[in-house]
Amino acid sequence: MNPLPLGLLPDTAEVLADGSLAIGGCRIDELAERFGTPLFVYDEAHLRNRCREAVAAFGPGNAYYATKAFLCTAMARLAYEEGMALDVASGGELFTALRAGVPAAALAFHGNNKSVAELRMALQEQVGHVVVDSFEEIDRIEALV
């Protein structure tokens, strides 16, 4: 069996002398024993580096974190702190990003089949961009204004 290339793992991943994997200085076998499996381990340094790379590549205000990939208040805050805007596709995602302290102006609200309540929330919070995919949705938004 070939070893897994470390380039596929987070920046701080390392194989320890005993062959175990550590990420961010935390042994994965110990985390699995303590918390059970399956277990998701996020490396903050890695996440921040990827956010910075995206902002450098696309420019300030042009790099968006896709919250559908993973969203909690800590992740929303981290992406915004690193210069990213966030795209949100539901009222729940919008609420979570706002609760994390991300300004509404740094959000893009997109996707189809938005409820009137979700559209109203986006308008009341003054979300930076509302992306629509049909003329019917534009009509729904105009009826709320």
Side-chain angles (χ1 to χ4, degrees), residues 4-10:
L4 183 67
L6 288 180
L8 295 176
L9 299 173

Side-chain angles (χ1 to χ4, degrees), residues 6 9-17 19-28:
L6 288 180
L9 299 173
D11 295 344
T12 63
E14 60 180 320
V15 177
L16 303 176
S20 63
L21 176 65
I23 296 176
C26 300
R27 290 178 59 112
I28 299 304

